[in-house]
Amino acid sequence: GRFLREMASLVKTALVLLALVLVNVSALPTHTHHHRQRERKIAHFEASKLPLFSWDKVPVYNHLCNKSGLFTDEALDVLQRFPMVTIEKGQESNLPGYAEDKIVAACKQIKTRNSSIQTIFYYNSVLDWNQYRLHEELLQHPSYWLKNSSGMTVRIPGDHTFKQPKDGMLVFDFSQKVVRDFWASDCINATKTGFVDGCFADRAGEENFKHNTLSPDMAKAYAAGHDQVLQELQDAVPGVVISNNYQPEGVHVLATMLEGFSASGEAISSMMEVVKKGYLVQAHAGYAQNGKDNHCENIENSLSAFLIAAGNYSYYGCSRGWFVDEEHRDWLVWHPEYDKPLGAPLADAELHGDVYERHFAKGTVVQFNKKTGVGMIQWAGERRGGMRIRKKPQHMF
């Protein structure tokens, strides 16, 4: 009898303790469990939208257009090696037809060669480029056009290497939901063909327009709408949305391009900050002549700077522009550095005086002098003179 009484007492105590635990758990903020659950869903959701990525060799991307027609087999031999390819607005610009159809046709060529490539549809989130079918439709809806504080239609110029009206182009009024839906539908429809995965949104952070002052209320509504349409587009497409030169706070867009990346300490610091925010990063070098780099004829300086700052889902590209033809071949060059062994970084780059240094798993070592703008890479299995290499870190990135 005594044994049974002791057992009953123990069971009672255990039940009381269990009740207390349950009460305490229920008293926790209810968002904790749901927040973690949402994080897991988002992580899975995002993974399905991301392009292929590997540290085995330099991660690279491509962004181009061929104004004379579809890509040749020779060009496709190069393009099929990139995990991510954006087709620009100037695709087949010397031929009649709408940009949307030409971009999709080029993406189809690439997907046919390598279905694992993430293909990206370029369009501008501010400028109404006239070669798009979207332009013809926008002309039918004057209420969709952005107006300045005087009630006049806003018109602004774009990249002068592409044909455009002398008085500038119309701007989408993203303060209106109907306009956000209208603009987003152009890329969403392209993805429905099965040959396009994601969207490149150019001038994504632009909120102020020279000689076209918006009223304070309109400026606020336009900026909020511009951010919102990027979010809505990212939610709607199967791949990434690349927000050019813009990393909005509180807006869930997966990717960004750093269009003016160069071999400099400032570019490295900026890219490191963007990487920390968790963005897929396209680093576009080539605008600047970085010492011996001579734009993209030699890429060691800008590539070194990239490798110092790169994180998971960071990709490198180099060009002086976006067209490819007989004179402009930057995007159709597969640099020998792209085939060198790399491996995941063992740690973040360390700064010793003016020199960054970073070690990679396969034995490659990268240095970059932020004062001189000169980078050096000792690839795995090779010897590089002039490099004073410090002891490599032991932990993995």
Side-chain angles (χ1 to χ4, degrees), residues 195-212:
F195 303 119
V196 174
D197 299 302
C199 318
F200 186 99
D202 206 355
R203 299 178 81 151
E206 193 156 341
E207 300 174 3
N208 300 303
F209 308 103
K210 192 175 182 180
H211 308 307
N212 284 283

Side-chain angles (χ1 to χ4, degrees), residues 105-124:
C107 289
K108 181 179 180 180
Q109 281 190 293
I110 293 166
K111 283 285 194 184
T112 300
R113 279 295 192 99
N114 184 348
S115 61
S116 71
I117 295 172
Q118 181 155 154
T119 50
I120 309 293
F121 175 99
Y122 170 98
Y123 67 150
N124 201 292

Side-chain angles (χ1 to χ4, degrees), residues 5-23:
R5 286 194 299 272
E6 288 178 351
M7 287 297 297
S9 177
L10 286 172
V11 170
K12 182 178 181 181
T13 301
L15 290 173
V16 170
L17 289 173
L18 179 60
L20 287 172
V21 169
L22 292 174
V23 168

Side-chain angles (χ1 to χ4, degrees), residues 361-383:
K362 292 189 176 182
T364 292
V365 182
V366 180
Q367 292 181 345
F368 184 85
N369 189 313
K370 67 176 186 176
K371 186 174 182 180
T372 64
V374 173
M376 301 178 76
I377 305 174
Q378 179 172 284
W379 296 103
E382 300 179 12
R383 293 287 296 172

Side-chain angles (χ1 to χ4, degrees), residues 262-325:
S262 63
S264 68
E266 293 80 6
I268 288 173
S269 295
S270 296
M271 182 170 167
M272 285 178 170
E273 288 301 313
V274 176
V275 167
K276 285 179 183 177
K277 294 178 181 178
Y279 280 94
L280 179 156
V281 176
Q282 291 185 337
H284 173 254
Y287 282 166
Q289 183 167 336
N290 298 145
K292 65 178 181 180
D293 274 21
N294 190 24
H295 300 292
C296 300
E297 292 180 19
N298 182 306
I299 63 171
E300 188 172 29
N301 289 338
S302 61
L303 181 57
S304 297
F306 166 79
L307 290 173
I308 290 295
N312 291 327
Y313 294 97
S314 293
Y315 301 81
Y316 174 84
C318 190
S319 77
R320 283 159 284 191
W322 310 106
F323 282 113
V324 292
D325 53 34

